[in-house]
Amino acid sequence: QVQLVESGGGSVQAGGSLRLSCAASGFTYSNKCMAWFRQAPGKEREGVAVIDPDGTPNYANAVKGRVTISQGNAENTLDLQMNNLQPEDSAMYFCAAAETSVKTWVLSCLDEANYWGQGTQVTVSS
């Protein structure tokens, strides 16, 4: 069973920065992916950022230019550097993952994530 633990959330003023980290454990297969999502009160969960299988980072339009996703220094870790945070970025941020035994399957993490962390709260005040 894959387990995900997020850290790094907090409260900042508009224009501030936060770095979120996710540590995953329990992967069985080498074909796997991790991504960041967020959900604000009363809104649907949305994908924030993912690193595609070819290594290309992809970002939601709402965060492009302000957020950087990267592999952490340790294996199976995923970081999210968020700069110039705005009140509309306030949400619970979740790390998510998927894996498959099918080596030839190209995982679409934003669509196929089925493991979720507990989330870390980000609150941005104006």
Side-chain angles (χ1 to χ4, degrees), residues 10-61:
S11 297
V12 297
Q13 291 192 326
S17 297
L18 285 172
R19 187 175 185 87
L20 307 184
S21 294
C22 175
S25 60
F27 283 116
T28 301
Y29 307 109
S30 59
N31 192 356
K32 56 195 175 187
C33 66
M34 296 170 66
W36 283 100
F37 289 76
R38 70 183 181 185
Q39 187 167 21
K43 294 189 176 181
E44 291 189 359
R45 186 172 59 202
E46 62 175 349
V48 176
V50 64
I51 299 177
D52 283 345
D54 65 359
T56 303
N58 271 293
Y59 302 99
N61 288 334

Side-chain angles (χ1 to χ4, degrees), residues 98-116:
E99 64 173 349
T100 177
S101 61
V102 181
K103 293 183 179 180
T104 56
W105 183 259
V106 179
L107 281 166
S108 173
C109 220
L110 294 181
D111 297 319
E112 299 181 75
N114 57 345
Y115 296 107
W116 298 87

Side-chain angles (χ1 to χ4, degrees), residues 15-17 38 48-49 57-69 80-86 89:
S17 297
R38 70 183 181 185
V48 176
N58 271 293
Y59 302 99
N61 288 334
V63 301
K64 272 181 184 175
R66 301 187 295 118
V67 166
T68 302
I69 189 172
L80 190 71
Q81 176 67 41
M82 302 189 295
N83 300 323
N84 191 22
L85 284 162
Q86 299 300 313
D89 295 314

Side-chain angles (χ1 to χ4, degrees), residues 6-11 18-21 120-123:
E6 304 97 335
S7 61
S11 297
L18 285 172
R19 187 175 185 87
L20 307 184
S21 294
T120 185
Q121 180 68 40
V122 171
T123 303

